[in-house]
Amino acid sequence: MFAALLLFFLLGDSILFSDVSQSAGISATHRAIWNEDAPGPYPDGYLAAGSGWADYDNDGWVDLFVAGNLAPNALYRNLGAGEFVVSPHNHQLQLPDIPSGGAVWADYDNDGWRDLYVLNMGANTLFRNLAGEGFVDVTLAAGVGDNGKTSSAAWGDYDEDGWLDLYVTNWACLPECEPSDFSQSRDTLYHNNGDGTFTDVSGLLGFEALLGAGFAVSWLDYDDDRDLDLYVVNDKAVNALGNVLWRNDGAGCAGWCFRNVSALAGADTIVHGMGLAVGDYDNDGDIDLYFSNMVRSMALLENRGDGRFGDVAERAGVAYHTGEAVGWGTSFFDYDNDGWLDLYLAATGISPIYGKAGMHYAYPDRLYHNQAGGGFRAVPGELFSAAAEPSMGFSSADFDRDGRIDYLLTIWDSGHRLYQNVGVAGLVNNWIAFDLQGGDGVDRDAIGTRVIVETDDGLRQLRELKSGSSLGAGEELALHFGLGESEIRRVIVSWLDGLVHEYSQLPINQRCLITRVTMQCAGGSDT
């Protein structure tokens, strides 16, 4: 397999991803400002560029929301066959007078329809999905406005009561870039009360650790105890407290117990943190972390399995230390279905004079192919993008349901580019994908559920479902596994409440729905 890939790279007679934005009908613009004449950033600048994928009308095709920053937002309905149209409900979500920087989808009210949380400069907006027939702004009633410069948000049921909670991370420069009171841009943890309302329970996390210039966040079970911990990537530009890892220690502590284990776990890296990728890149059964940086090296925190992490970015070949690169959105995904998570990094370039605000120059992104031995190899740029652009936002989804992961880029002050995965020439690998549905005390989206796929070649892959990561992005809420040329030996599903299911003799190259009682694959019968 690797020989075939190497031959493909050397020949260079094809591409891995094709820009299908025009043919697919994705034409929304992105407009943004950043003061290039001042010696530093300024209050009106909003470094946000994100998008979110979800099947809002439950027709089986994943739809797309893109945030326009100063341009209106846009919701596209997926018609299948590679075609999108502007949703008839688009006008309800445009927010033309509010700068928007991204979005995350989740079924916060467990009614079977995914709702949309839009990230803004100013109060964020929660739109409740009206059974696919429209959206209604419920922000005030729900109490999740969070008036800041929101960069990212993530949904996860930290107390396992069956209702999704919400963490919102805010960047600084509010109301100015040398604030005397960092609390005006603090992050917020909201507890879902199960009745359509939320309560601000940020006090469970203390106070000081919420005051970083936050860019990205994800719920994850880093210590494999089957509850959701929390990792936040912060920018050291303002209030350099470093990244923060909260370990979920369960009930008690006047509400719920979270312990800041950032230093103890070796996860308190101080960088110009922007984006975050979460996944088991080395297939050793635990969750690793990759996050972007500005000018200096990116970081890959390998989970050692003992509660600690170590930075292996240089050794793994994903540091991308050029002295000019500014890393933004990033994500792990297996683009060639060989069973190993690859890595995408969206990037811009910074001006030669450090400190100037010019950090949105066109610069090459990076797509790294996982070499299955703890390292990655950079894929030549001409194989996955037409030309370098100032890319910031990244989100992935299999929008055409062909078993290959596609992605969307948000280009600063320009627009959005949809890239279709056209596959490696001459290489056909197997795959399987899972949609999850909770119930019986588990949230409808089943966020945090783990699926392990064991194949007959001895490989054991782990995926954990999440809503929110990358940068201002909500990737498709599905778990995708490349299988190479192997067959599935066993699938293990681990729900957050401790229930474990095992399945065998599954069909390959299928999409399957896993519920609390059964698994059903497209075109197949219950398993």
Side-chain angles (χ1 to χ4, degrees), residues 294-305:
M294 182 171 70
V295 179
R296 307 294 296 176
S297 296
M298 315 297 151
L300 174 59
L301 297 191
E302 182 180 275
N303 192 329
R304 294 173 176 169

Side-chain angles (χ1 to χ4, degrees), residues 164-400:
L164 286 172
D165 310 303
L166 177 66
Y167 187 92
V168 178
T169 187
N170 293 306
W171 194 61
C173 289
L174 183 77
E176 54 196 12
C177 278
E178 294 182 359
S180 57
D181 181 7
F182 293 116
S183 66
Q184 295 189 61
S185 58
R186 74 168 173 90
D187 294 352
T188 307
L189 174 62
Y190 292 103
H191 178 261
N192 190 332
N193 300 319
D195 60 359
T197 69
F198 292 75
T199 299
D200 183 343
V201 293
S202 306
L204 297 177
L205 304 174
F207 181 72
E208 294 298 327
L210 295 169
L211 304 183
F215 260 108
V217 58
S218 185
W219 294 97
L220 71 157
D221 180 12
Y222 85 95
D223 53 359
D224 194 23
D225 63 353
R226 300 313 293 127
D227 57 24
L228 291 179
D229 312 298
L230 185 66
Y231 192 64
V232 177
V233 172
N234 287 313
D235 181 4
K236 72 175 184 178
V238 181
N239 196 24
L241 56 81
N243 296 348
V244 183
L245 175 63
W246 278 282
R247 189 181 69 202
N248 187 339
D249 285 343
C253 307
W256 203 261
C257 300
F258 288 95
R259 182 183 177 190
N260 185 342
V261 295
S262 312
L264 179 66
D268 58 342
T269 316
I270 299 177
V271 294
H272 289 286
M274 309 293 187
L276 173 64
V278 178
D280 182 14
Y281 85 92
D282 49 3
N283 282 337
D284 67 350
D286 47 38
I287 303 296
D288 310 296
L289 305 168
Y290 179 83
F291 44 90
S292 48
N293 193 7
M294 182 171 70
V295 179
R296 307 294 296 176
S297 296
M298 315 297 151
L300 174 59
L301 297 191
E302 182 180 275
N303 192 329
R304 294 173 176 169
D306 60 357
R308 291 186 54 80
F309 294 84
D311 189 355
V312 297
E314 293 287 348
R315 186 190 75 198
V318 293
Y320 202 26
H321 184 189
T322 69
E324 297 177 345
V326 181
W328 298 98
T330 183
S331 184
F332 289 115
F333 68 113
D334 184 2
Y335 75 80
D336 59 348
N337 285 339
D338 67 350
W340 296 84
L341 288 173
D342 309 301
L343 177 65
Y344 197 100
L345 174 68
T348 65
I350 199 166
S351 62
I353 304 174
Y354 184 77
K356 296 291 285 185
M359 57 180 172
H360 293 111
Y361 295 95
Y363 206 78
D365 290 354
R366 276 290 182 266
L367 174 62
Y368 293 103
H369 180 257
N370 194 326
Q371 300 298 289
F376 293 80
R377 176 181 294 168
V379 176
E382 61 270 19
L383 300 183
F384 65 93
S385 61
E389 295 186 275
S391 307
M392 288 183 63
F394 178 91
S395 63
S396 66
D398 180 9
F399 77 83
D400 51 4

Side-chain angles (χ1 to χ4, degrees), residues 403-459:
R404 295 189 294 257
I405 301 296
D406 316 293
Y407 62 81
L408 182 106
L409 291 176
T410 298
I411 313 301
W412 175 261
D413 197 30
S414 177
H416 310 273
R417 309 278 188 269
L418 179 61
Y419 283 87
Q420 183 180 38
N421 187 335
V422 297
V424 178
L427 181 68
V428 179
N429 282 328
N430 298 318
W431 59 276
I432 192 166
F434 300 104
D435 295 301
L436 300 174
Q437 182 178 302
D440 188 27
V442 171
D443 69 272
R444 175 80 180 197
D445 285 331
I447 301 300
T449 300
R450 285 185 167 184
V451 175
I452 295 171
V453 172
E454 297 178 353
T455 47
D456 58 9
D457 60 353
L459 200 61

